[in-house]
Amino acid sequence: MTRYLVTGAGGMLGHDLLDVLAGRDVTAATRAELDITDTAKVRDLVEGHDVVLNAAAWTDVDRAESDEAGATAVNGTGVATLATACAAAGARLLHVSTDYVFPGDADAPYAEDAPTAPINAYGRSKLAGERAVLDTLPATGYVVRTAWLYGAHGKSFVATMLRLAGEREFVDVVDDQVGQPTWSRDLAERLIALADGGAPAGVYHGTASGQTSWHGLAEAVFAGAGHDPARVRRTSSEAFKRPAPRPSYSVLGHARWAAAGLAPMRPWHDMLTAALADPAFATRADEAPR
């Protein structure tokens, strides 16, 4: 029987991974239970497991700009520690990364082997983790890049839009950033399929098919929740200055799924429709912090 370890089990994706793995031999490690920068604890916990699913990460993009060392300690050095422990234990590692390793200046989907060039500290920290996995575990390490993630167990753009729909007459949302909104539940299912399917190691893109802007996503959220999408007004990134620059184009290609014998993930709008119909998601969205 395969023994799984889920790190970052208390987060959005971690919760969904545990749900998908229900009934299997799983060890769940929240951030409070496992600091992935603690070499001894990581080594001891990884021992005895066959598959490690790493959902632990520094996710505060803007704070990474003022504390790149802190972000890299988790997203780079911590991931390297996990990879080294997996190599020693003979375990496979599935590590979740991000579209932010790309510069966001393309006009066609980024292939899995496209050159990386992050434009912010968060992206650089995540790229360090990717390299650690691929260098340390060339035959048993998987990097799965995702983007625009939302789910039932944490803060997200979708949850924020649902809340604002009940608070404001109009919402201004940028229309000059394009990406692939991805439900964390679908990503969790795909990660387990990848772990169980005997797929080749390497880089995969775990994002929904299709693409839209943040404005397009907000309109779809409003409409899906029974609100008038015309209440979502277009604006530009210039109106929302943030410490960390964001890539304007975050669309990822999915060619490597064919090599794994798996179809690409379903379209983003289908995911969103399913998420909005999920009782757990709707409840958590209503509770989203203000």
Side-chain angles (χ1 to χ4, degrees):
M1 181 179 291
T2 302
R3 296 159 296 177
Y4 302 86
L5 168 63
V6 176
T7 62
M12 179 191 298
L13 178 59
H15 271 96
D16 285 334
L17 284 168
L18 296 180
D19 286 345
V20 175
L21 288 167
R24 306 201 201 185
D25 185 352
V26 182
T27 301
T30 66
R31 181 171 59 182
E33 294 163 334
L34 178 66
D35 176 352
I36 63 171
T37 67
D38 187 322
T39 302
K41 286 186 177 180
V42 168
R43 181 186 62 240
D44 292 345
L45 192 56
V46 167
E47 183 65 36
H49 293 91
D50 304 298
V51 175
V52 176
L53 297 141
N54 181 39
W58 174 300
T59 58
D60 190 330
V61 175
D62 287 324
R63 192 156 67 91
E65 285 298 297
S66 59
D67 188 7
E68 185 166 354
T72 303
V74 178
N75 293 340
T77 306
V79 174
T81 299
L82 268 176
T84 299
C86 286
R92 284 175 290 148
L93 174 60
L94 280 78
H95 169 63
V96 179
S97 191
T98 175
D99 60 300
Y100 278 42
V101 299
F102 295 117
D105 58 356
D107 55 11
Y110 285 101
E112 291 86 350
D113 61 354
T116 54
I119 60 173
N120 58 35
Y122 170 75
R124 290 189 291 271
S125 74
K126 293 294 286 186
L127 182 58
E130 286 193 8
R131 289 172 172 166
V133 173
L134 299 174
D135 290 347
T136 306
L137 300 167
T140 56
Y142 300 75
V143 169
V144 181
R145 296 177 182 138
T146 194
W148 292 30
L149 205 63
Y150 62 90
H153 302 282
K155 299 178 183 179
S156 72
F157 178 85
V158 171
T160 299
M161 289 301 105
L162 287 170
R163 173 174 58 78
L164 292 179
E167 295 180 356
R168 300 182 185 177
E169 182 178 2
F170 295 103
V171 178
D172 296 329
V173 181
V174 300
D175 197 33
D176 55 1
Q177 295 176 26
V178 178
Q180 297 160 309
T182 303
W183 189 17
S184 56
R185 175 76 186 203
D186 273 45
L187 177 59
E189 291 175 351
R190 181 50 56 91
L191 286 167
I192 302 307
L194 190 61
D196 293 347
V203 179
Y204 293 81
H205 286 165
T207 52
S209 300
Q211 65 183 63
T212 190
S213 66
W214 287 117
H215 177 268
L217 174 56
E219 284 189 319
V221 171
F222 269 59
H227 302 286
D228 182 1
R231 293 168 54 199
V232 182
R233 301 182 300 197
R234 286 180 171 83
T235 189
S236 71
S237 299
E238 288 296 315
F240 290 94
K241 291 291 188 180
R242 306 177 74 173
R246 264 60 173 178
S248 60
Y249 186 84
S250 290
V251 180
L252 306 183
H254 304 115
R256 285 217 69 203
W257 290 116
L262 296 167
M265 295 171 75
R266 58 179 165 169
W268 71 267
H269 202 280
D270 292 353
M271 282 189 193
L272 180 64
T273 299
L276 293 176
D278 184 274
F281 181 84
T283 299
R284 291 303 297 266
D286 289 342
E287 298 171 354
R290 296 177 181 241

